Amino acid sequence: MNISLMNNDAVSGIVKIVIEKKDYQAQVEMQLRQYRQKAEVPGFRKGMVPLGMLRKLYGKNVMANEVEKCVLDNLTKYIRENDLRILGNPLSSETEQKTIDFDTQEDFEFYFDLAFSPQLDIKLNKRDKLNYYIINVDDEMLQQQIDSYRRDFGSYDMVEDVEETDLVKGTLSELDENGAPREGGILVTGAVLMPMYLKDDERTRFVGAKLNDIIVFNPDKAYGGATAEIAMLLRTEKEHAAEIKSDFSFEVQEITRHREAELNQEFYDRVFGPDAVQSEEAFREKVKLAIERQLNPYSEQKFQNDMRALLIKKTGNVTLAEDILKRWLRSVETESTPEQFEEDFPKVIDDLKFNLAKDHLIRANSLEVEPQDVMALARQAASEQLASIGIPSMPDDILDNFAKELMSKEKTVDSLVAQALQNKVSDWIKTQIKIETKEIPYGELEKLLA
């Protein structure tokens, strides 16, 4: 076997692989003998089929498979041992590759087009400037979060009379035209509704009602003909609900009222853990810090976007083997139309430039990800997931368990490692360029990220 790099330039090259019979023949014979052990051919006992017959029946396919395996294994080895930094995958050469005929040939020549990663020399200094936007947590945002905690950690009490926001439970009974229970009509025990979701006229029938009161109302009017809500209340199908225009009686049997938590030590402990804060002032400050932590990823995302644009700019008019890259991308992207592919290709090139620049900085500055970096990101992800369901604080040991559970999934770990590596690049760049910190309302940052 002989492998060589030909037609080599700065952005592309062609690898030529010459395969002779001696390179693959032993493997072909071994495969045929292994196949013989399990081949079942009429007229022969298992394992006793003549090797010559198997060679005639399957020799060409076995040879083709072994030649292909030999070529790909050695091509991969050649690229690795010669440290050829390529983009995408090797492709059969459009200009050099000749037709292969396994019926007549014993020696073969294979040619592969390679797209090389360009040499970059990215320089960063204090003349390069990026803004870092910090979201201003104003009083309104702070109060909204505190109100949300008070609702989430509130209580449910049984009361005697109905207010708009109460949960009312009782028995529903369909009425006839005379206001009497309809024979064979709908009867629902344990029906539940909230007056605040009813239309005005029907809502007023419930507000102020007391336990054991019987209220006559019309579900179709109460929900404005919304069949999904009517069907849920009457526990029937939506198609049937659309036909129900009758009045119903509702006997009030239970009234539940949600009360927001009071700003006291018990509430503070439930939100942030025992004795984490011991005053309203400290609580508000802790909530503000929690909001800032939740919003920080948005600030970092904006910085990452701007950093990406800077690195793409720094790559300059770098030359790439776009014809080979297009062929490779078309081979892996089969859903887009040719027109859509051409439209999206400049964005793909920008993505490629960014990754090339990032990889260059990682190698040039020996940036490495440590296990503790990945664990820190896993803990952050776990903390954000818990915060999204109303748990802003969690003991470290429990948070660690959540993080370890996330890291038990291979795809999650790969994603965390990639993020940790990008963070390393981001942190390094922050030390090299001028960063101007600016406070900005959350809504303004949303617009910048759109």
Side-chain angles (χ1 to χ4, degrees):
M1 178 185 301
N2 181 267
I3 305 179
S4 59
L5 183 62
M6 51 183 284
N7 295 354
N8 183 34
D9 60 34
V11 297
S12 66
I14 299 176
V15 170
K16 177 183 179 181
I17 303 179
V18 178
I19 299 286
E20 298 176 342
K21 184 176 181 179
K22 63 182 180 181
D23 296 320
Y24 62 82
Q25 186 60 29
Q27 283 298 113
V28 170
E29 292 299 315
M30 184 180 74
Q31 291 296 327
L32 287 172
R33 286 189 173 85
Q34 288 180 354
Y35 188 69
R36 184 187 188 192
Q37 301 302 315
K38 52 188 177 182
E40 295 182 5
V41 177
F44 296 93
R45 294 198 308 274
K46 188 174 181 179
M48 299 301 292
V49 181
L51 197 59
M53 178 181 289
L54 291 178
R55 189 176 290 109
K56 183 178 293 186
L57 289 172
Y58 306 111
K60 183 176 71 171
N61 288 338
V62 173
M63 180 180 71
N65 289 337
E66 288 303 319
V67 168
E68 179 181 6
K69 184 176 183 299
C70 181
V71 169
L72 294 180
D73 287 349
N74 283 279
L75 175 60
T76 301
K77 181 181 178 182
Y78 180 82
I79 291 172
R80 183 179 65 251
E81 290 182 347
N82 289 274
D83 195 26
L84 299 180
R85 296 183 55 245
I86 68 170
L87 303 176
N89 294 327
L91 300 173
S92 179
S93 177
E94 287 188 330
T95 59
E96 301 295 330
Q97 185 61 56
K98 298 176 178 60
T99 302
I100 299 294
D101 187 347
F102 288 104
D103 287 323
T104 61
Q105 290 180 243
E106 292 185 338
D107 299 337
F108 306 92
E109 290 183 358
F110 292 89
Y111 297 84
F112 293 91
D113 291 331
L114 305 181
F116 293 143
S117 177
Q119 294 293 321
L120 298 179
D121 184 21
I122 295 176
K123 303 294 185 183
L124 296 171
N125 54 56
K126 296 299 181 180
R127 290 192 296 274
D128 298 308
K129 185 183 79 170
L130 290 179
N131 293 327
Y132 194 93
Y133 296 98
I134 297 176
I135 298 171
N136 177 30
V137 180
D138 56 25
D139 291 341
E140 181 181 358
M141 183 181 290
L142 176 60
Q143 191 58 50
Q144 286 176 348
Q145 185 61 63
I146 291 173
D147 291 343
S148 176
Y149 285 150
R150 292 183 67 189
R151 288 191 298 270
D152 291 344
F153 289 93
S155 61
Y156 289 89
D157 302 332
M158 298 300 178
V159 295
E160 300 293 326
D161 57 341
V162 178
E163 293 182 0
E164 281 192 1
T165 56
D166 291 342
L167 195 69
V168 186
K169 185 176 181 180
T171 299
L172 267 172
S173 179
E174 188 176 8
L175 304 178
D176 61 21
E177 294 77 4
N178 299 315
R182 184 184 296 278
E183 185 176 351
I186 295 174
L187 179 67
V188 180
T189 59
V192 176
L193 58 77
M194 293 182 72
M196 65 181 293
Y197 294 118
L198 306 182
K199 298 298 181 182
D200 292 342
D201 291 344
E202 303 300 316
R203 184 192 310 142
T204 56
R205 299 175 188 271
F206 284 88
V207 175
K210 301 184 182 302
L211 288 172
N212 302 317
D213 281 357
I214 296 177
I215 300 160
V216 175
F217 79 116
N218 187 290
D220 182 62
K221 294 178 181 178
Y223 289 103
T227 55
E229 285 80 357
I230 298 168
M232 185 177 297
L233 175 68
L234 303 182
R235 298 178 189 172
T236 186
E237 301 296 328
K238 285 200 293 187
E239 293 76 9
H240 185 209
E243 301 171 355
I244 300 171
K245 309 298 181 184
S246 312
D247 286 344
F248 281 71
S249 66
F250 189 106
E251 181 182 355
V252 179
Q253 296 168 335
E254 190 176 286
I255 307 167
T256 306
R257 181 168 303 159
H258 178 262
R259 299 189 190 278
E260 291 186 349
E262 297 293 330
L263 290 172
N264 54 31
Q265 191 62 46
E266 179 185 358
F267 171 60
Y268 305 151
D269 290 348
R270 292 182 67 192
V271 175
F272 289 116
D275 298 323
V277 295
Q278 296 182 331
S279 68
E280 182 177 346
E281 181 181 2
F283 174 73
R284 296 178 69 87
E285 184 61 30
K286 189 86 169 177
V287 173
K288 185 176 182 179
L289 289 173
I291 297 173
E292 289 173 349
R293 283 197 302 270
Q294 291 174 30
L295 295 179
N296 184 63
Y298 296 98
S299 299
E300 190 62 29
Q301 182 60 56
K302 173 57 178 167
F303 180 79
Q304 296 276 355
N305 292 350
D306 294 343
M307 178 189 76
R308 178 181 183 274
L310 174 64
L311 291 182
I312 290 172
K313 182 180 178 181
K314 287 288 184 178
T315 62
N317 296 320
V318 62
T319 303
L320 300 171
E322 293 192 6
D323 55 335
I324 299 177
L325 291 174
K326 282 185 177 182
R327 285 169 52 208
W328 169 62
L329 288 169
R330 285 197 188 102
S331 72
V332 296
E333 172 52 70
T334 58
E335 294 185 3
S336 62
T337 64
E339 295 76 16
Q340 187 65 47
F341 178 87
E342 291 297 331
E343 182 180 339
D344 291 341
F345 188 68
K347 300 175 187 175
V348 174
I349 292 298
D350 278 350
D351 287 341
L352 183 56
K353 286 181 177 180
F354 170 60
N355 285 312
L356 287 171
K358 186 173 62 174
D359 291 345
H360 166 75
L361 294 178
I362 289 169
R363 291 193 311 275
N365 299 283
S366 302
L367 303 180
E368 296 182 352
V369 171
E370 303 294 340
Q372 58 267 28
D373 300 324
V374 182
M375 185 59 179
L377 281 177
R379 292 180 90 258
Q380 179 183 325
S383 179
E384 289 170 359
Q385 287 184 16
L386 292 169
S388 70
I389 59 173
I391 306 176
S393 182
M394 183 67 66
D396 287 343
D397 58 336
I398 298 178
L399 192 59
D400 284 342
N401 287 335
F402 274 101
K404 289 174 183 176
E405 177 63 26
L406 287 175
M407 292 179 66
S408 67
K409 302 169 185 174
E410 185 176 349
K411 286 185 178 179
T412 301
V413 173
D414 291 343
S415 176
L416 291 172
V417 169
Q419 182 60 53
L421 197 52
Q422 180 144 325
N423 289 349
K424 290 281 185 180
V425 175
S426 176
D427 291 342
W428 181 84
I429 287 176
K430 288 174 184 176
T431 68
Q432 304 299 307
I433 68 174
K434 183 178 179 181
I435 304 294
E436 188 170 325
T437 301
K438 292 186 176 181
E439 283 200 1
I440 188 173
Y442 175 62
E444 290 299 316
L445 186 57
E446 273 191 315
K447 293 177 183 177
L448 292 175
L449 285 169

